[in-house]
Amino acid sequence: MLEAIAGIGSQLEPSAALQAIVTAAVDLTGARYGALGLIGEGGSLSGFVPVGMGPEQIACIGHWPQGRGLLGEMIRHPRPLRLHDLADHHSFDGFPAGHPPMRSFLGAPVLIREELFGNLYLTDKRGGADFDARDEELLVAVAGAAGLAVENARLRAEARRHGQWQRATAELTQQLLSADEPLDVLALVTQHALEISAADTVTLALPNAAGDHISITNASGYQAELLVGITVPIGLSLSARVMASGQRVSVPDLGADERVPWAVRRLGALGPGVAVPLGVPGDVRGVMVAARKTGGQPLPPAAVDMVTTFAVQAGIGLKLAEHRRDTQRIALLADRDRIARDLHDLVIQRLFATGMSLEGGMPLLPDGEAADRVRRAVDELDGTIRDIRSTIYTLQARDEADQPETHARILAVVQEMTDALGFAPWLRIDGQLDVRAPAQMGEDILAVVREGLSNVARHARASQVDIIVTAGQDLVIVIADDGAGITADRAWSGLANLTERAAELGGGLLVEAAPDGGTRLEWRVPLAGTQPP
């Protein structure tokens, strides 16, 4: 018993301490199965730490207990409970499919500062005997030691997490104050949030300028590379709720929540998580999601509080940095306007006056080389004036950032085609499309997306279509649907047009039947290296 308690108390991580608690209880009492049910909000089970069942048995059960029946009885009445056969108890409501048979039962509450933290459950004493009074005393002692061990491990974890939060906040503030582009800091935000929250994955999603689509711009941790670039309509999504309310939302299972985009759910990777606003209510700039893998335990409340605070601070920092950038831009534009006025009001007027003076003196010169030189000088002055006026126009023109980028125009086309399709397509954009692809290629890209979606709407009878735009060594646009597929005798003029566009840019078009049904269109043109003549 002393060795078991010492082993429990030596665990520095809360998760390791929980596992050690259940293992000690099983070993001391001779139980075949043991578990620790963690109590969450509303008195339901928020987590389950089992011992004695392998991964195959756990997979057969399908889901953890929800805190009803006999386990709910122990939550409502936290005191030791010993049963000859748990099926005889009035609260027992049966086992789920795939659950191993169990008979004898012993349970005891785990209290932290007189508050119920969870319950220890033991079943099936080895040898077929019932749990006795001595087993009950041992389990109560383990539960008492467990409360202290969990509290100590939790305090150590919170202290470490608080130190990480302070370092992360300091580094983020420094980067925001020194970086030219606030969005460059977002990768740092997700990485620090991953460390603070003890999550497996952290994503950061930002809305587009119109506010009707949202894209995962940054991700850190498990399957981060598959999540970045996913773009979906905001609609009634989880992100829309967080951005509208400015409040965090906890999700027991991201893989099963209908508010989570299908593009994320179909990865089958994320379980419990929390979505927090990037900023304060009324000025939310994006949504951060911290999640654990499927089947993992929910994030600790202290970790959720810290990552929420960190996201709010990051949102405020981004806003201040953007204000600073806007102030610098306004000052630059004002300086350019002043230079343009000086060129127009001073330099051009003096050059014009000089030219007029030379032209006025030309009748006084005899025809010959001197007169030709004066005429050429006047022509040069006129050319110089035109060049200065062109420079003035350039100085007064606003940045290209004010014009719609290809990325935003693709989103507009996708939204435009949603009604014709009858559902929202899934869009993913990988790479720096607006940097890598020349501006003149934008019309070709839009033509490919529009024609591909139009063909799906008219011919495919599909229920899903995926669009992946990748800007790397090549620009690759893939449009895949789950519809009726394409046959050899069907030729559409639009596809011939896309083939010509690709050929003009040194690329090609491939249209084929997808392995799982439907049609896959791939339009590819080079971006790097020499361009075709």
Side-chain angles (χ1 to χ4, degrees):
M1 180 69 186
L2 291 175
E3 290 177 357
I5 292 177
I8 294 171
S10 66
Q11 301 299 327
L12 300 180
E13 293 293 333
S15 58
L18 298 179
Q19 194 71 35
I21 290 165
V22 184
T23 301
V26 167
D27 292 342
L28 286 170
T29 60
R32 185 181 301 276
Y33 303 107
L36 174 59
L38 308 177
I39 309 302
E41 297 179 1
S44 60
L45 286 177
S46 63
F48 214 67
V49 183
V51 169
M53 285 193 291
E56 296 82 6
Q57 287 178 300
I58 295 174
C60 288
I61 296 173
H63 63 84
W64 295 119
Q66 305 298 310
R68 297 187 290 268
L70 180 58
L71 302 189
E73 177 73 13
M74 288 201 63
I75 294 174
R76 292 187 295 272
H77 305 288
R79 56 177 177 266
L81 179 63
R82 182 158 43 101
L83 300 171
H84 165 71
D85 189 342
L86 51 84
D88 294 336
H89 194 275
H90 64 86
S91 296
F92 180 73
D93 59 359
F95 293 117
H99 197 286
M102 296 178 180
R103 192 182 66 83
S104 56
F105 177 86
L106 177 62
V110 176
L111 303 175
I112 296 179
R113 298 179 183 177
E114 300 183 356
E115 292 186 6
L116 182 64
F117 171 78
N119 282 302
L120 273 169
Y121 312 114
L122 302 176
T123 60
D124 278 15
K125 187 176 177 69
R126 296 183 185 276
D130 291 341
F131 293 105
D132 55 23
R134 178 176 175 277
D135 294 327
E136 184 176 326
E137 290 178 1
L138 289 172
L139 185 62
V140 170
V142 170
L148 293 174
V150 170
E151 178 70 358
N152 290 336
R154 195 161 63 181
L155 289 174
R156 285 191 292 266
E158 288 181 8
R160 183 177 64 255
R161 195 176 292 114
H162 187 73
Q164 292 174 330
W165 174 73
Q166 288 182 318
R167 290 191 296 272
T169 302
E171 185 175 354
L172 178 63
T173 302
Q174 181 181 1
Q175 289 293 322
L176 286 171
L177 292 176
S178 61
D180 294 332
E181 176 54 58
L183 295 180
D184 293 339
V185 190
L186 294 181
L188 185 67
V189 171
T190 56
Q191 184 58 44
H192 281 317
L194 184 71
E195 298 170 358
I196 293 171
S197 64
D200 294 315
T201 303
V202 171
T203 64
L204 187 60
L206 301 179
N208 63 347
D212 51 10
H213 282 72
I214 191 164
S215 303
I216 297 179
T217 58
N218 299 84
S220 295
Y222 179 62
Q223 290 201 338
E225 68 281 356
L226 298 179
L227 293 165
V228 172
I230 290 178
T231 302
V232 295
I234 291 182
L236 301 176
S237 66
L238 181 66
S239 297
R241 177 177 174 183
V242 174
M243 294 189 67
S245 66
Q247 303 296 323
R248 72 190 186 205
V249 177
S250 296
V251 181
D253 187 358
L254 288 165
D257 196 306
E258 293 294 333
R259 298 170 299 175
V260 178
W262 167 243
V264 176
R265 285 187 282 128
R266 72 176 180 176
L267 295 176
L270 302 181
V274 60
V276 300
L278 191 70
V280 297
D283 188 23
V284 178
R285 314 183 77 75
V287 177
M288 179 186 293
V289 176
R292 284 183 168 167
K293 298 177 184 177
T294 300
Q297 300 294 332
L299 296 172
V304 173
D305 290 340
M306 281 192 179
V307 77
T308 301
T309 303
F310 181 69
V312 169
Q313 292 177 328
I316 295 174
L318 284 172
K319 180 179 180 180
L320 294 176
E322 289 177 4
H323 279 322
R324 176 175 55 83
R325 182 191 61 181
D326 291 342
T327 301
Q328 292 173 343
R329 185 184 177 199
I330 291 172
L332 174 63
L333 293 176
D335 211 25
R336 287 163 58 174
D337 286 341
R338 179 187 58 79
I339 294 172
R341 286 196 306 270
D342 289 346
L343 287 173
H344 182 273
D345 297 342
L346 301 177
V347 179
I348 285 183
Q349 298 304 324
R350 294 183 66 178
L351 289 174
F352 187 74
T354 302
M356 291 290 290
S357 177
L358 289 173
E359 284 186 329
M362 285 180 62
L364 304 178
L365 296 174
D367 291 337
E369 184 179 352
D372 290 339
R373 284 191 174 187
V374 172
R375 290 191 187 93
R376 288 196 296 270
V378 172
D379 291 341
E380 287 294 330
L381 286 175
D382 288 340
T384 302
I385 291 172
R386 286 194 297 271
D387 291 341
I388 293 177
R389 282 177 174 161
S390 176
T391 301
I392 292 173
Y393 176 80
T394 303
L395 287 171
Q396 291 177 332
R398 295 310 180 230
D399 295 342
E400 291 182 0
D402 294 335
Q403 303 300 320
E405 296 180 339
T406 303
H407 187 291
R409 297 173 71 191
I410 292 175
L411 290 177
V413 171
V414 171
Q415 184 179 13
E416 171 191 325
M417 295 301 300
T418 297
D419 290 340
L421 290 165
F423 56 87
W426 175 65
L427 172 65
R428 175 172 174 171
I429 299 177
D430 288 334
Q432 297 177 307
L433 177 64
D434 293 308
V435 175
R436 299 277 299 157
Q440 62 269 25
M441 195 181 287
E443 294 302 324
D444 296 304
I445 296 172
L446 297 179
V448 174
V449 175
R450 182 177 284 107
E451 181 64 27
L453 292 180
S454 177
N455 285 335
V456 173
R458 287 182 290 159
H459 307 292
R461 301 190 302 276
S463 61
Q464 179 180 329
V465 58
D466 295 347
I467 310 161
I468 302 176
V469 181
T470 305
Q473 292 295 315
D474 293 338
L475 172 67
V476 183
I477 302 175
V478 174
I479 302 176
D481 65 72
D482 63 350
I486 186 171
T487 58
D489 59 344
R490 298 179 74 176
W492 301 313
S493 60
L495 295 183
N497 178 39
L498 298 187
T499 302
E500 293 175 3
R501 286 179 179 269
E504 291 174 358
L505 296 171
L509 173 71
L510 173 64
V511 181
E512 59 185 357
D516 299 329
T519 305
R520 182 180 183 274
L521 178 151
E522 178 180 310
W523 191 84
R524 180 187 294 268
V525 296
L527 287 180
T530 58
Q531 294 295 323

